[in-house]
Amino acid sequence: MRNFSYPPFYRYIFRYRNYPARVTIYPESGTLTVQMTAELFSQYLFAGITYGIIYAIVAIGFNIIYNTTGIINFAQGEFVMLGGMFAITLNNFMPLVPAIALAVVITMIIGALIEMIFIRWLDSPSILRMIIITIGLSILIREVALHFWGEGVRSLPYFNGNEISSIKIFSAQISPQVLWVIGVCLIIVTLLSLFFRFTSLGLEMRACSANRLAATLCGINAKNMVTFSFMLSAGIGALAGCVMSPITYTQYDCGTGLAIKGFTVAVLGGLGNSMAAVAAGLLLGIIEAFSIGIVPLAFQDAISITILLIILFVRPHGLFGSSEAAGLTEF
Amino acid sequence: MLKIKNLEAGYGKLRVLKRISMHVDPGEIVTIIGANGAGKTTLLYTIAGIIKTMAGEINLLGQTLKKTKAEKIVDLGCSLVPEGRQVFSTISVLENLLLGAYVQSGKNGYDRKQELEKIYNIFPVLKDRRRQLAGTLSGGEQQMLAMGRALMARPKLIMMDEPSTGLAPLIVKDIFQIILRLREAGNTVMLVEQNARAALGIADRGYVLETGKIIIQGPATDLLDNHDVQRAYLGRDIE
Ligand SMILES: Nc1ncnc2c1ncn2[C@@H]1O[C@H](COP(=O)(O)OP(=O)(O)OP(=O)(O)O)[C@@H](O)[C@H]1O
Ligand SMILES: [Mg+2]
């Protein structure tokens, strides 16, 4: 466990500790001035891609559950936190890879249990009720995590090298962990789309999301599919939580921010559309990364909220979504 | 095949079906006619296990259905083609059909390819459209797809809820021809229809449902001659 004593808005910068010295920080105002160079440009770009793809994974978690149930699971960010936390704790007793694998499995089980205990028995609950349940769950998980792990900021060790090792790509100095994040997240996205397209379980899940009544009439147990979708999104959230932990750190409440970003991205891409979520995630990540040269750091999170609000007002079916999906006027 | 005794069912506190008793024998086409809101769809949903029974008994293929899940009932061999088609619109036609075979997958003696060929034989248009998303099919094609999907499960009893709604007369004729062919192939069909004349024309027996009760039943030819049926459902003036 590593303690982190910088004020919160510094963290964003210090996560990428290889920023060239030309970044000057004025702590009083929380702003910084930057001279844009090609070097800095690619540095920002990589930071944006890294964060963007993390947001995309959270958004895909939202989408999987949204597709099978029509609800937004606001506890999605907590799955990411749990994955990271379990892996960190388990890593004290076992090597990194089994610790991560076990953490993902435990989080998947928690996801399944949550569905079975809190969602499954509801016959045809209203959307609002389901959303309130998931918000309640996210608070519950956060409090339990606070109880177990405390307020401390923890992280997994770097998968390769340490916090100062770096690789040079396009004149940017990149931590190898950044490549891990991007690589693992891309693999998750690819495997997921193959899963949904080519396996019969994937087809059955798509069927449930397309038409639950018809799926039942085909003999598919729709409730099991919902449980499975909770497991799946808990699993990918947890895995993402593990790979990002060394650079973003893990804290009992880190899920909330991620959930907001992930939700923004999910809406931006069009709810339920996972491929669009990747594009939207990258877009948001890159906008955020470049905005630190313009907007005071303290307003960083305001950017995504602003985008979310604009999208909800102007294009509720998302940038890439069809207006058919907008027919779901519950939101 | 199907035996129902004093069945009562409905939604929440609302009791729609009131002491319904009826039966379907193997190899029959049985039709249920009735006005809008009579409870025809409710009856089919209750048999299919989508709606819980409040009282009474349903016996399907020798098994008494007691809180049996809808999925299990499909597995037992009773498929429903629901009202309003209900295809998987964001999924391709071929995958829709494959999903129909879900309950048979892995079972001995079930050849999915062969079954698919049979369906394509009955509905050639589905073969041409197999790569297309089901939602982009025309209404009639969607109805054929819904029927094909139900048939993929190789049901012993197939229930159809208003298969002719919204279809051109020519296609309605096709659909009824297909139902006759299904019976020739050994299927048992339970048919709910607004188009009473056509339904009674191909059925062996019929039931008339009014506000949740069966008021008339008998061989289809008798029903066609019945004055009450003629006045209420066949739109014929009796002088
Ligand atoms: N989901 C529901 N909740 C409450 N009441 C319902 C529901 N579905 C149907 N009903 C009521 O049950 C009664 C029977 O409806 P049902 O759909 O079985 O009629 P139907 O005979 O199939 O009519 P139609 O020919 O129009 O399809 C109606 O009075 C209807 O208002
Ligand atoms: Mg009806």
Side-chain angles (χ1 to χ4, degrees):
Chain A
M1 182 185 149
R2 185 191 320 147
N3 254 316
F4 214 85
S5 52
Y6 296 110
F9 62 83
Y10 277 30
R11 264 204 260 150
Y12 188 85
I13 295 301
F14 284 107
R15 274 171 215 157
Y16 297 91
R17 32 182 78 50
N18 305 319
Y19 273 133
R22 248 160 298 175
V23 184
T24 346
I25 299 170
Y26 297 105
E28 309 82 44
S29 58
T31 58
L32 75 175
T33 51
V34 181
Q35 275 179 316
M36 192 56 76
T37 61
E39 216 178 330
L40 207 48
F41 180 85
S42 34
Q43 202 83 44
Y44 281 154
L45 194 62
F46 269 98
I49 291 173
T50 310
Y51 272 79
I53 200 122
I54 290 171
Y55 299 157
I57 290 291
V58 179
I60 289 172
F62 276 119
N63 284 339
I64 291 173
I65 291 180
Y66 175 79
N67 275 339
T68 46
T69 60
I71 63 170
I72 299 293
N73 168 33
F74 282 100
Q76 186 61 36
E78 271 59 44
F79 290 148
V80 180
M81 180 272 293
L82 283 177
M85 281 297 196
F86 279 123
I88 292 163
T89 306
L90 289 167
N91 192 219
N92 294 331
F93 310 104
M94 58 182 80
L96 192 63
V97 174
I100 290 177
L102 198 54
V104 170
V105 171
I106 293 174
T107 313
M108 284 172 87
I109 293 172
I110 291 177
L113 286 178
I114 282 177
E115 195 278 335
M116 286 193 244
I117 296 170
F118 296 100
I119 313 278
R120 180 176 271 255
W121 56 272
L122 299 169
D123 241 353
S124 47
S126 70
I127 300 279
L128 187 63
R129 188 164 162 200
M130 299 264 248
I131 287 176
I132 291 172
I133 288 177
T134 65
I135 291 178
L137 279 172
S138 82
I139 297 172
L140 179 72
I141 295 173
R142 221 155 40 225
E143 292 305 312
V144 173
L146 176 63
H147 187 75
F148 275 114
W149 287 294
E151 282 184 29
V153 179
R154 301 156 186 243
S155 85
L156 277 176
Y158 280 70
F159 293 9
N160 291 113
N162 55 35
E163 44 211 87
I164 50 168
S165 50
S166 68
I167 303 171
K168 198 172 164 74
I169 300 176
F170 305 127
S171 78
Q173 299 289 332
I174 306 295
S175 159
Q177 193 65 31
V178 165
L179 297 184
W180 271 106
V181 172
I182 297 174
V184 168
C185 290
L186 284 181
I187 290 171
I188 291 176
V189 171
T190 315
L191 286 184
L192 263 183
S193 75
L194 291 178
F195 166 77
F196 279 117
R197 187 158 309 184
F198 293 112
T199 68
S200 50
L201 186 57
L203 177 59
E204 284 143 29
M205 287 182 74
R206 275 195 292 147
C208 278
S209 76
N211 189 328
R212 202 156 163 178
L213 171 67
T216 308
L217 290 174
C218 284
I220 297 168
N221 186 330
K223 295 201 163 170
N224 286 352
M225 293 298 142
V226 174
T227 313
F228 191 74
S229 72
F230 268 78
M231 284 175 74
L232 198 60
S233 55
I236 63 168
L239 186 56
C242 293
V243 285
M244 65 197 251
S245 174
I247 45 176
T248 63
Y249 305 116
T250 311
Q251 200 178 2
Y252 77 99
D253 64 352
C254 70
T256 318
L258 278 172
I260 293 173
K261 299 290 171 65
F263 181 60
T264 308
V265 166
V267 173
L268 191 61
L271 272 173
N273 187 345
S274 289
M275 278 304 142
V278 176
L282 292 176
L283 188 65
L284 181 67
I286 290 171
I287 289 177
E288 273 192 2
F290 280 97
S291 70
I292 67 171
I294 308 157
V295 188
L297 265 183
F299 291 117
Q300 185 89 70
D301 289 342
I303 292 172
S304 63
I305 300 282
T306 312
I307 292 177
L308 177 62
L309 289 178
I310 293 174
I311 285 289
L312 283 177
F313 278 124
V314 181
R315 263 186 88 84
H317 48 285
L319 285 184
F320 313 100
S322 61
S323 42
E324 175 204 1
L328 303 158
T329 42
E330 281 99 336
F331 293 102
Chain B
M1 171 115 334
L2 176 72
K3 247 198 172 84
I4 294 175
K5 238 172 89 185
N6 295 332
L7 177 70
E8 309 215 327
Y11 307 89
K13 283 209 175 76
L14 175 72
R15 202 161 47 106
V16 175
L17 302 180
K18 293 152 197 153
R19 298 176 67 84
I20 299 245
S21 296
M22 61 174 294
H23 67 99
V24 179
D25 292 327
E28 270 190 317
I29 298 178
V30 171
T31 183
I32 296 171
I33 54 179
N36 292 123
K40 305 179 297 295
T41 300
T42 309
L43 175 61
L44 294 193
Y45 275 168
T46 314
I47 299 169
I50 304 282
I51 298 175
K52 291 191 192 91
T53 59
M54 292 172 173
E57 201 170 278
I58 303 177
N59 190 295
L60 179 68
L61 296 151
Q63 286 214 33
T64 308
L65 305 183
K66 267 229 165 72
K67 289 189 181 162
T68 314
K69 286 202 182 113
E71 301 96 64
K72 187 77 182 41
I73 292 172
V74 184
D75 201 22
L76 280 175
C78 170
S79 289
L80 169 65
V81 183
E83 193 173 18
R85 295 161 198 142
Q86 310 276 358
V87 295
F88 301 111
S89 44
T90 53
I91 294 178
S92 76
V93 170
L94 174 64
E95 285 171 322
N96 264 268
L97 291 173
L98 295 182
L99 281 161
Y102 175 80
V103 287
Q104 293 286 358
S105 59
K107 281 195 184 160
N108 269 346
Y110 184 81
D111 185 357
R112 210 165 66 166
K113 278 238 170 60
Q114 195 187 330
E115 210 66 31
L116 204 57
E117 276 314 311
K118 266 199 228 164
I119 304 294
Y120 286 155
N121 252 330
I122 306 175
F123 307 107
V125 63
L126 294 183
K127 187 168 190 176
D128 305 333
R129 300 286 153 89
R130 63 185 182 279
R131 304 253 164 260
Q132 205 170 314
L133 292 187
T136 64
L137 294 181
S138 80
E141 290 163 347
Q142 288 190 19
Q143 184 61 49
M144 294 177 200
L145 178 58
M147 288 171 71
R149 192 183 61 198
L151 288 171
M152 283 295 285
R154 250 190 1 205
K156 300 186 182 87
L157 170 65
I158 181 164
M159 305 191 287
M160 299 188 197
D161 198 347
E162 307 201 16
S164 71
T165 334
L167 301 186
L170 218 61
I171 299 178
V172 173
K173 233 173 122 191
D174 281 353
I175 298 263
F176 280 88
Q177 280 308 314
I178 286 161
I179 294 172
L180 275 176
R181 273 171 61 194
L182 288 179
R183 195 257 298 273
E184 276 158 30
N187 287 297
T188 309
V189 182
M190 188 160 150
L191 177 66
V192 161
E193 259 303 331
Q194 290 289 339
N195 191 341
R197 192 190 309 278
L200 287 170
I202 61 162
D204 299 305
R205 287 189 305 116
Y207 292 88
V208 179
L209 202 60
E210 208 173 274
T211 57
K213 292 193 196 102
I214 287 176
I215 51 161
I216 309 171
Q217 55 177 305
T221 42
D222 290 7
L223 290 187
L224 277 170
D225 293 337
N226 185 302
H227 283 197
D228 292 332
V229 175
Q230 285 179 353
R231 197 171 41 239
Y233 303 105
L234 302 178
R236 189 177 297 168
D237 285 331
I238 312 285
E239 58 274 14

